[in-house]
Amino acid sequence: MLKPNIPFYDIGQSYRELKPEIDQAISKVLSKGWYILGEEVMAFEQEFASYVGTRNCVGVSNGLDALFLTLKAWGIGAGDEVIVPSNTYIATWLAVSYSGAIPVPVEPDINTFNLDPLLLEASITPRTKAIIPVHLYGMPADMSIIMETAAKHKLKVLEDAAQAHGAEYNGRKCGCLGDAAAFSFYPGKNLGAFGDGGAVTTDDDDLAAKIRSLANYGSRQKYYNEFKGYNCRLDELQAAILRVKLPHLDEHNLSRHNIATAYLGLSNAQISMPYQQLSHKDELHYTMPVSGAMAKPCWHQFIIRNDKRDKLQAILKQAGINTMIHYPIPPHQQQAYQEFSHHSYPIAESIAQTCLSLPMNPYLSADEIAYISRVLEQS
């Protein structure tokens, strides 16, 4: 019997699934000959705002620009501080640095991988201007406490929802929970384009208008520039593709939920425990992610933790199961942030050293899910 080869994620499947609709959408744009800020971008903005539950959506070039432009529109810059998770993709930190402000890391809750809201107060100073909670891996952050803390200290909250398309917290979509939210439509996201793309969602009409202007050279009217802006516009072709894929997002997220349910039911899994109490009894037992009581994840990734992560990854690879590591080096240990080289964030470091991402995409077959589960049970 041939050993299976289960990819971590075959991005091309999203095209093959919707090929006729996508081809038609692309052909329509090409035939019109209007490729920048046209009808497709405008229509997608309206549809995505409606989906998320906000008044406004501004399409931009990528998720990093969505974060940066929002901070810039708020007037956050040199001398300011912005609270970020110590464990996240580096784009969250980079957006703060691009604005001229200083990222202030706060450790995560080991169970959810998200910023621990109970640690916020200790990190707030008179220079703090905003908090960027990341809904990491599609797991909603604990927004109730975060928003209460922000209101107490008059801080802005910018959701980093780059991995949270369709995730919910207390019955509301991620992206409508803070003062604004930044999305990425990188091809591997739950809602992915066929290139880079991003968006900002918000109920603040003035903020949306300023971001729209900043993303278009600082101009609301061609050749009239109010601000020193940027070229950060969402491409018309990508918007057309996203419009085709958006109606399928909830269906795909349901498939991800079913896969997560299968993984969570594995008998080899341990109940996730606080950082200080992690068990080392059996090196191939692993801990599972835990969602908060009000959180409904969209399962962008499914992350397990194991002290012998590399050994477990090798066993799965030998069995034909491809996995990934998100993210092997936390931002404070990156060369780009040498100014943090003398700082230690032990929970972020532990996650980076022990996390392993299992195959998680809506195209996994029932047989593939059963095979992955069987190999994990026997490991």
Side-chain angles (χ1 to χ4, degrees):
M1 181 179 177
L2 290 176
K3 179 177 69 177
N5 181 24
I6 301 175
F8 181 74
Y9 187 17
D10 179 0
I11 292 176
Q13 285 181 288
S14 68
Y15 171 61
R16 294 190 290 272
E17 178 195 16
L18 303 170
K19 185 178 186 303
E21 296 172 70
I22 290 173
D23 287 350
Q24 184 179 13
I26 292 172
S27 178
K28 179 182 175 183
V29 172
L30 295 178
S31 297
K32 283 186 175 181
W34 191 303
Y35 307 134
I36 302 292
L37 296 182
E39 294 176 356
E40 295 298 328
V41 169
M42 185 181 301
F44 173 72
E45 289 175 339
Q46 294 171 348
E47 290 161 5
F48 194 65
S50 176
Y51 177 82
V52 170
T54 55
R55 283 202 304 270
N56 302 285
C57 169
V58 182
V60 297
S61 45
N62 54 65
L64 172 55
D65 287 339
L67 290 165
F68 162 69
L69 289 169
T70 305
L71 295 175
K72 195 74 176 174
W74 278 334
I76 292 173
D80 296 331
E81 295 176 348
V82 178
I83 292 176
V84 295
S86 59
N87 67 311
T88 182
Y89 184 56
I90 199 170
T92 313
W93 286 42
L94 289 175
V96 177
S97 298
Y98 287 174
S99 75
I102 299 169
V104 176
V106 169
E107 287 272 66
D109 180 327
I110 192 67
N111 298 313
T112 66
F113 306 116
N114 284 326
L115 185 152
D116 187 339
L118 299 180
L119 300 179
L120 280 174
E121 289 276 1
S123 297
I124 295 172
T125 75
R127 298 169 65 186
T128 307
K129 294 297 186 291
I131 303 169
I132 306 182
V134 180
H135 305 304
L136 197 62
Y137 311 132
M139 184 77 69
D142 192 345
M143 292 299 294
S144 291
I145 302 177
I146 292 170
M147 293 303 292
E148 288 174 8
T149 304
K152 177 181 175 182
H153 294 275
K154 299 181 180 179
L155 305 177
K156 296 291 188 182
V157 175
L158 171 55
E159 298 172 70
D160 185 335
Q163 302 180 9
H165 313 74
E168 296 182 6
Y169 180 86
N170 198 22
R172 301 171 65 206
K173 290 281 197 305
C174 291
C176 75
L177 304 169
D179 297 294
F183 285 88
S184 166
F185 302 123
Y186 182 79
K189 305 297 187 184
N190 291 38
L191 179 62
F194 290 167
D196 276 319
V200 177
T201 55
T202 182
D203 282 332
D204 186 333
D205 299 337
D206 292 337
L207 176 66
K210 188 167 185 180
I211 291 171
R212 193 180 301 281
S213 176
L214 284 171
N216 188 36
Y217 297 101
S219 174
R220 301 174 199 251
Q221 181 182 351
K222 194 169 185 177
Y223 301 130
Y224 292 84
N225 304 82
E226 303 170 60
F227 313 106
K228 296 181 179 72
Y230 311 88
N231 180 6
C232 301
R233 301 171 299 205
L234 178 62
D235 184 80
E236 188 78 354
L237 280 169
Q238 300 302 340
I241 292 165
L242 289 167
R243 290 189 68 201
V244 172
K245 298 181 75 174
L246 179 57
H248 300 271
L249 176 57
D250 287 344
E251 176 188 352
H252 288 168
N253 282 349
L254 178 59
S255 296
R256 291 172 180 270
H257 170 78
N258 292 337
I259 296 165
T261 299
Y263 287 156
L264 289 167
L266 294 173
S267 62
N268 248 20
Q270 299 171 340
I271 296 174
S272 192
M273 295 175 289
Y275 172 68
Q276 295 85 352
Q277 302 174 20
L278 292 180
S279 171
H280 303 282
K281 182 179 179 181
D282 185 336
E283 66 180 10
L284 290 182
H285 279 196
Y286 35 84
T287 53
M288 294 289 195
V290 175
S291 59
M294 293 187 285
K296 181 181 178 183
C298 67
W299 298 110
H300 173 59
Q301 305 294 352
F302 191 96
I303 312 296
I304 61 175
R305 289 183 290 113
N306 179 266
D307 286 341
K308 301 294 183 182
R309 183 263 313 283
D310 294 344
K311 180 177 180 179
L312 178 57
Q313 186 176 38
I315 290 172
L316 295 173
K317 179 67 175 178
Q318 181 63 30
I321 300 168
N322 292 278
T323 59
M324 288 188 69
I325 298 171
H326 297 90
Y327 303 96
I329 306 173
H332 72 279
Q333 293 184 331
Q334 297 282 0
Q335 185 175 350
Y337 281 98
Q338 293 183 55
E339 63 267 35
F340 286 89
S341 61
H342 298 298
H343 295 255
S344 177
Y345 298 96
I347 300 181
E349 292 161 17
S350 174
I351 292 172
Q353 293 161 7
T354 61
C355 68
L356 185 65
S357 304
L358 300 180
M360 170 55 73
N361 67 80
Y363 306 106
L364 284 174
S365 69
D367 287 344
E368 288 173 327
I369 298 166
Y371 177 73
I372 296 168
S373 299
R374 186 163 64 250
V375 172
L376 282 167
E377 290 276 16
Q378 296 170 355
S379 296

